[in-house]
Amino acid sequence: PSATSQTPIPTLSAIVSGTYYVSQKVNGCESLRVQIIASSQGSVPAPIAGVQNICGNGTVAQLVAQILPNATAEWYSNATATTPLASTALLVNGTYYLSQRVGNCVSVKVPVAVRIVSTSAPAISAITMCAGSLVADLIIPATTGTSYQWYLNSTATTPLPSTDVLQSGYYFVTRVENGCESLRTQVQVTINSRPNSPTGQTPQTFTDYAEISNLIMTEPNVVWYATYDDAMKGENPLVQNMPLVNGTTYYAVVIGANGCPSLPTPIEAIIVLGVNDFDLTNLTYYPNPVNDLLTINYIDVITKVEVYDLNGRLVITRNFDKETIQIDFSTLSSGTYMLNVKTKENSQFVKIVKK
């Protein structure tokens, strides 16, 4: 610390701003001392960097980080490397290490994940759909963080709106993953025609009780659905023995030779009571919708209750011998169910919604 000090400074001592003196020894002989003025710049904090998504391929120059205004980012291939990577070095999937340098001072290294996202064109086969299908109906299975965008041609810069109606022809699709859009793939889309919708009288009236199979349409082989959306998508067709619910609209379609369903035809079902049927003014059931216990009360003794799902499956059956009873819905999935409440002489269907 001085020109005349006889004790060298320990090598592990922290350097502070000031004047130092250095000499060298050769075979026990020490040279004259030279004055060194040191200026301490203080510690440099670690830089901040998130996951780096690189589209297709890239170099170190494309990596970004939050560093001090007067600092330089230095990237390394591993935690122990001492030589920073060149800005032109090609990147690969993996972990890189980042420090920042201010003058002669360097921060600690921090790990940074680098992901190389493929921009190769997706492999998509030709698609066949039914008339009226939308761009939104062009569904391609994708992992989380991945989506697909459709274009009218190979040079369009704006993706097609999801509400556009598709026509037979060629479309172009790209894969978007972690902010990277791939090259385009040309996909042939064929739009098949739909058959004419089935015809039938609406409403159709039945006495006491009726099932799906009792609905009358002009065409044979009609498929029935509980909602318009189910009918358009061909999901959850109703079984023939499912009991009809008074005042409910059902949707009929026929399937063409090309596999396309017709547009749905709505048919309302009306169930009228026979002479000896239930007095609905004295039938109560609550709560509806129900979470767990449903209470049913009637002026006559209830002997049996059957619970059906919308596919016509009997999911609960219970025998009773009293006017007020309870059914436990806690084990059933959320959805709509139909209850057939029976007395010794009569029965009545009611619709219950399970939350």
Side-chain angles (χ1 to χ4, degrees):
S2 71
T4 58
S5 174
Q6 300 300 308
T7 303
I9 299 172
T11 56
L12 297 179
S13 296
I15 294 177
V16 296
S17 296
T19 301
Y20 293 82
Y21 295 86
V22 61
S23 65
Q24 60 179 339
K25 280 188 177 182
V26 178
N27 297 323
C29 297
E30 184 174 4
S31 70
L32 296 175
R33 299 180 183 183
V34 175
Q35 184 183 71
I36 300 293
I37 298 176
S39 177
S40 174
Q41 295 179 323
S43 62
V44 178
I48 299 173
V51 174
Q52 311 279 304
N53 293 312
I54 305 298
C55 302
N57 54 61
T59 63
V60 168
Q62 293 174 251
L63 299 176
V64 295
Q66 296 181 36
I67 59 175
L68 298 173
N70 59 337
T72 302
E74 295 183 341
W75 294 90
Y76 298 84
S77 58
N78 57 67
T80 58
T82 57
T83 302
L85 293 166
S87 62
T88 56
L90 292 177
L91 297 170
V92 296
N93 277 314
T95 303
Y96 287 77
Y97 290 82
L98 168 68
S99 66
Q100 62 177 332
R101 176 184 293 275
V102 178
N104 292 323
C105 298
V106 181
S107 72
V108 297
K109 297 185 180 80
V110 293
V112 180
V114 174
R115 296 187 297 208
I116 306 300
V117 181
S118 172
T119 55
S120 60
I124 308 296
S125 302
I127 297 173
T128 300
M129 306 184 77
C130 299
S133 296
L134 307 177
V135 171
D137 299 320
L138 292 167
I139 298 174
I140 301 172
T143 58
T144 302
T146 301
S147 61
Y148 290 86
Q149 292 188 155
W150 292 88
Y151 295 87
L152 187 60
N153 53 54
S154 61
T155 58
T157 57
T158 303
L160 289 169
S162 61
T163 54
D164 270 18
V165 178
L166 296 169
Q167 306 293 330
S168 290
Y170 290 94
Y171 292 83
F172 291 80
V173 62
T174 63
R175 180 185 59 254
V176 180
E177 181 180 357
N178 294 318
C180 298
E181 186 170 10
S182 72
L183 299 175
R184 300 183 184 190
T185 295
Q186 179 178 271
V187 180
Q188 183 177 16
V189 176
T190 301
I191 302 300
N192 286 334
S193 61
R194 295 180 185 269
N196 292 330
S197 299
T199 56
Q201 179 182 341
T202 185
Q204 296 188 20
T205 302
F206 305 91
T207 301
D208 294 336
Y209 173 82
E211 298 176 347
I212 285 291
S213 59
N214 298 126
L215 292 168
I216 299 173
M217 302 297 286
T218 303
E219 294 76 10
N221 304 318
V222 171
V223 183
W224 292 93
Y225 296 89
T227 68
Y228 184 90
D229 284 344
D230 279 356
M232 288 296 292
K233 296 176 182 177
E235 298 176 348
N236 307 312
L238 302 176
V239 295
Q240 292 296 300
N241 65 343
M242 192 193 81
L244 299 178
V245 177
N246 180 46
T248 297
T249 298
Y250 300 90
Y251 296 87
V253 303
V254 291
I255 309 300
N258 58 15
C260 284
S262 67
L263 293 177
T265 299
I267 301 292
E268 183 182 11
I270 302 297
I271 310 297
V272 297
L273 303 178
V275 176
N276 297 318
D277 259 355
F278 263 68
D279 178 1
L280 291 180
T281 60
N282 286 297
L283 175 65
T284 58
Y285 44 94
Y286 57 89
N288 188 19
V290 62
N291 274 324
D292 38 47
L293 290 180
L294 175 75
T295 300
I296 304 174
N297 178 264
Y298 190 55
I299 56 173
D300 289 339
V301 171
I302 298 172
T303 59
K304 190 174 186 177
V305 174
E306 296 171 335
V307 181
Y308 296 85
D309 65 16
L310 282 184
N311 291 319
R313 293 187 296 262
L314 179 64
V315 294
I316 294 178
T317 180
R318 296 286 188 273
N319 295 316
F320 301 98
D321 189 25
K322 52 185 177 180
E323 290 86 357
T324 300
I325 60 95
Q326 286 187 318
I327 299 290
D328 186 2
F329 274 72
S330 61
T331 60
L332 297 182
S333 302
S334 298
T336 301
Y337 295 86
M338 286 170 292
L339 275 66
N340 190 6
V341 181
K342 298 183 178 182
T343 64
K344 291 181 180 179
E345 297 181 353
N346 305 306
S347 66
Q348 176 64 40
F349 274 92
V350 296
K351 183 162 63 176
I352 300 296
V353 175
K354 166 67 190 312
K355 290 183 180 178

